[in-house]
């Protein structure tokens, strides 16, 4: 019987284990410039998974950080900035931590299934990421890959594929990336078959699994998978790809023959140079100047310093430097412009808002989290506005009138006026779309008569429950629908709308009631008052106060989504996989931005372009 180890010996072994793990950390600063990936042919040809284009590129970049000399899968460490960049996400967005968690969660929850090998019943399933750590304090991410990947990435001796990930950087189709990988893995077999006068044949059903294409229609596969890949591979990589129909079963294409020719070395090198040049030019065109620096704690990890600009976001560290934070907020508010657009009392309100923001941004209250001396919630909300609206001017323009007339006077009656103002500011920043969606140059000089009181204001007011939607309306679905109908002249709509538009109206009304009551945990939770989602109620109330009712909004939506034309168009578009989800998403977007929808439709009617489609549906869905 084997002797039992003492606790001291066991602790020693754990320490050695930990020390060994610490020695196998691959940092982006050390290996981020590596672009060559080595993967087993099995992993390329037999794995079936569903990753987006940016997620595929991210995983290939991580695989590229493996060195031929590695004997174990390292733990990968990179800055949050670099991670977001590899994911194809703008790293300046204020809610970057949420984006990081979402991307890691999406990849970690995506199963990889081994395509069943002929003659066996064995199916293997695993996940790309075995573990991850996000350190907000240092801004670093650590990823651990699944141990199942080790024999397919480490110490490869035979039956593996080598490729440069730079070639796939400009590809816009997830299928193109997979087809390129498959071509590289089958290239030697193609050349061997070619020398023997034999074709290289791909089975269509197997190909669909390899690239994760759910379509069975040959025309769709040819157009969206094969032809798209051909256009993005040929002339831009180190190979030339072509195909031809090889076998049919009756009228159905079941096999294709493929050609995978090697590009001349000089041409392949030039393609690499061209891609790198294009990426460099795109980065220079971005409106976010970046100063590259080195993390003081770890010189091997790349971080990016702050450069003041109206469009750049503001670091958390400004929370402990009120004077500098105030100056930065003023820059993004474009005070010179606001002076020409606001009244004296509104400008004074803007000054009060800015002073409150700078005095409170670095103070810890309750469960609020401080990062580098700054309130996490405040900076993420503010930076999201800066990112989405290219500054804070539009937000200040939208809230100034209400603060001058209502919020600041109410704050003066409170025992803690600053805390009251702080709460108001945070809520209005969270609901920034209500104040920025309809601000245009034409509207900016008009009065703020249509500014309404948000639900958190505690001032006594007359009972106007019949003039606006109130939280009690959302107690039941039936009561919510009746409340919406109270502001809709259905007789007028009945006289104006066509049969297809009337069908659309019924569904839009039901969806509106759903959104006014929706509570998706972690998304709408903070906006709920009873069973009412105040984000949607506030948006619709503003529409009521501007137009006197909701009739114009529902008439506009019913016209845009006319069932006699809308469903025919979206169902014919192979690129739209879920038309119902697209419809629901568009209604949600429209309810939050009603003025933009109405004014856009008016402009199209005046231009004689009212064809029922006001947006690029595919890009909206994406």
């Amino acid at each position: 019987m084997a002797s039992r180890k003492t606790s001291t010996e066991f602790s020693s072994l754990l320490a050695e284990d930990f020390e060994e793990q610490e020695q196998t950390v691959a940092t982006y600063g050390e290996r981020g410039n590596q672009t060559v990936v080595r993967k087993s042919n099995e992993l390329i040809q037999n794995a079936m998974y569903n990753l987006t284009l940016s997620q595929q590129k991210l995983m290939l970049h991580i695989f590229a950080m493996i060195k031929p000399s590695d004997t174990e899968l390292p733990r990968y460490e990179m800055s949050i900035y670099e991670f977001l960049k590899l994911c194809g996400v703008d790293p300046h967005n204020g809610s970057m931590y949420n984006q990081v968690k979402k991307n890691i969660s999406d990849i970690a929850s995506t199963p990889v299934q081994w395509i069943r090998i002929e003659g066996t019943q064995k199916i293997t399933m695993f996940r790309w990421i075995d573990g991850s750590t996000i350190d907000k304090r240092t801004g670093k991410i650590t990823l651990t890959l699944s141990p199942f990947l080790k024999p397919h990435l480490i110490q490869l001796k035979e039956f593996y594929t080598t490729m440069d990930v730079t070639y796939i950087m400009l590809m816009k189709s997830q299928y193109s990336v997979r087809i390129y990988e498959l071509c590289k893995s089958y290239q030697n077999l193609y050349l061997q078959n070619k020398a023997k006068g034999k074709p290289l044949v791909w089975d269509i059903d197997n190909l669909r699994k390899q690239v994760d294409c759910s379509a069975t229609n040959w025309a769709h596969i040819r157009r969206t998978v094969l032809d798209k890949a051909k256009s993005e591979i040929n002339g831009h990589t180190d190979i030339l790809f072509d195909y031809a129909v090889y076998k049919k079963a009756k009228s159905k294409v079941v096999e294709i023959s493929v050609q995978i020719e090697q590009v001349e070395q000089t041409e392949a090198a030039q393609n690499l140079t061209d891609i790198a040049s294009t990426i460099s030019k795109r980065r220079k065109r971005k409106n976010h100047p970046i100063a590259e620096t080195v993390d003081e704690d770890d010189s091997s990890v790349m971080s990016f310093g702050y450069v003041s600009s109206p469009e750049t976001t503001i670091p958390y560290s400004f929370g402990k430097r009120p004077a500098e934070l105030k100056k930065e907020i003023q820059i993004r508010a474009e005070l010179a412009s606001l002076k020409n657009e606001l009244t004296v009392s509104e400008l004074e309100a803007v000054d009060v808002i800015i002073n409150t923001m700078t005095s409170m941004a670095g103070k810890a209250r309750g469960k609020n989290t401080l990062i580098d001396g700054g309130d996490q919630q405040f900076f993420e909300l503010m930076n999201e506005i800066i990112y989405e609206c290219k500054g804070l001017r539009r937000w200040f323009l939208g809230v100034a009138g209400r603060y001058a007339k209502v919020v600041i006077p109410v704050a003066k009656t409170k025992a803690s006026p600053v805390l009251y103002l702080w709460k108001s500011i945070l809520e209005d920043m969270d609901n920034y779309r209500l104040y920025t969606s309809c601000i245009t140059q034409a509207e900016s000089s008009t009065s703020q008569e249509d500014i309404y009181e948000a639900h958190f204001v505690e001032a006594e007011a007359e009972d106007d429950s019949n003039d606006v939607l109130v939280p009690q309306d959302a107690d039941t679905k039936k009561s919510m629908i009746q409340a919406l109908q109270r502001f809709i002249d259905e007789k007028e709509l009945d006289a104006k709308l066509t049969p297809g538009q009337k069908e659309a109206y019924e569904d839009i009304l039901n969806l509106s009631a759903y959104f006014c009551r929706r509570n998706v945990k972690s998304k709408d939770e903070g906006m709920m008052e009873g069973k009412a989602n105040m984000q949607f109620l506030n948006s619709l109330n503003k529409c009521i106060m501007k137009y006197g009712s909701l009739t114009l909004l529902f008439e506009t939506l019913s016209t845009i989504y006319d069932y006699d034309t809308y469903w025919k168009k979206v169902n014919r578009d192979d690129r739209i996989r879920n038309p119902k989800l697209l419809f629901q998403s568009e209604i949600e977007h429209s309810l939050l931005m009603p003025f933009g929808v109405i004014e856009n439709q008016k402009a199209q009617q005046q231009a004689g372009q009212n064809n029922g489609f006001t947006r690029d549906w595919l890009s909206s869905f994406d």
Side-chain angles (χ1 to χ4, degrees), residues 256-309:
I256 58 173
S257 61
V258 297
Q259 299 176 28
I260 311 167
E261 301 292 350
Q262 185 68 37
V263 169
E264 291 291 333
Q265 191 171 358
T266 53
E267 183 181 344
Q270 184 59 49
N271 287 339
L272 280 178
T273 302
D274 292 343
I275 293 171
S277 176
T278 300
I279 294 172
S280 177
K281 288 177 182 177
R282 287 183 180 179
R283 286 174 179 167
K284 287 179 181 179
R285 285 201 298 267
K286 292 284 186 182
N287 292 325
H288 303 294
I290 301 298
E292 193 171 300
T293 60
V294 176
D295 192 303
E296 293 178 359
D297 296 326
D298 187 346
S299 61
S300 66
V301 178
M302 188 74 73
S303 63
F304 291 78
Y306 173 76
V307 178
S308 180
S309 169

Side-chain angles (χ1 to χ4, degrees), residues 395-410:
W395 182 76
F396 276 111
L397 201 59
V399 302
R402 194 170 69 81
Y403 275 73
K405 295 177 181 179
V406 180
V407 180
I408 293 176
V410 170

Side-chain angles (χ1 to χ4, degrees), residues 430-431 433 455 514-536 588 592:
D430 196 22
N431 295 318
R433 290 184 179 86
H455 67 279
Y514 162 72
F515 283 119
C516 286
R517 304 181 73 244
R518 184 184 61 169
N519 180 14
V520 179
K521 192 172 178 62
S522 81
K523 182 177 181 181
D524 296 334
E525 206 172 27
M527 314 222 179
M528 299 303 294
E529 187 167 322
K531 293 185 178 180
N533 187 316
M534 296 309 298
Q535 185 179 18
F536 288 90
E588 178 181 16
L592 291 176

Side-chain angles (χ1 to χ4, degrees), residues 193-213:
N193 285 8
K194 182 181 178 182
K196 299 174 183 177
K198 297 180 180 180
L200 175 62
V201 178
W202 285 357
D203 178 84
I204 291 298
D205 284 340
N206 194 60
L207 179 64
R208 286 176 49 249
K209 294 176 184 177
Q210 289 173 314
V211 302
D212 188 48
C213 176

Side-chain angles (χ1 to χ4, degrees), residues 79-97:
S79 70
I80 288 176
Y81 185 100
E82 291 296 348
F83 180 86
L84 289 173
K85 224 169 46 163
L86 293 180
C87 289
V89 177
D90 192 310
H92 298 275
N93 194 324
S95 56
M96 61 181 181
Y97 289 106

Side-chain angles (χ1 to χ4, degrees), residues 317-334:
S317 58
F318 277 59
K320 52 189 176 185
R321 289 138 58 189
E324 293 180 39
L325 176 60
K326 182 175 182 178
K327 183 177 179 180
E328 292 299 328
I329 294 175
Q330 289 172 335
I331 290 173
R332 284 150 185 79
E334 300 177 51

Side-chain angles (χ1 to χ4, degrees), residues 423-526:
K423 177 189 174 186
S424 303
I425 291 168
L426 290 179
E427 292 200 15
D428 285 340
M429 290 175 73
D430 196 22
N431 295 318
Y432 72 91
R433 290 184 179 86
L434 299 179
Y435 305 102
T436 61
S437 62
C438 57
I439 297 295
T440 63
Q441 291 296 325
E443 293 173 317
S444 62
S445 59
T446 63
S447 66
Q448 301 287 330
E449 294 301 324
D450 60 342
I451 299 296
Y452 66 97
E453 175 60 39
H455 67 279
F456 54 76
V457 173
E458 300 171 9
E460 294 294 329
E462 295 181 8
D463 182 12
D464 58 354
S465 59
N466 290 322
D467 297 330
V468 293
L469 297 168
V470 295
Q472 291 75 17
D473 290 330
D475 286 344
T476 66
K477 179 182 177 182
K478 182 178 179 180
S479 65
M480 191 68 247
I481 291 177
Q482 290 175 342
L484 291 170
Q485 289 174 323
R486 198 168 71 236
F487 297 97
I488 301 171
D489 189 337
E490 293 192 322
K491 289 184 178 179
E492 180 183 339
L493 293 184
D494 188 60
K496 287 184 176 181
L497 301 182
T498 66
Q501 292 167 355
K502 290 176 183 177
E503 287 184 64
Y505 166 73
E506 293 297 329
D507 281 350
I508 293 169
L509 179 64
N510 279 284
L511 269 178
S512 300
Y514 162 72
F515 283 119
C516 286
R517 304 181 73 244
R518 184 184 61 169
N519 180 14
V520 179
K521 192 172 178 62
S522 81
K523 182 177 181 181
D524 296 334
E525 206 172 27

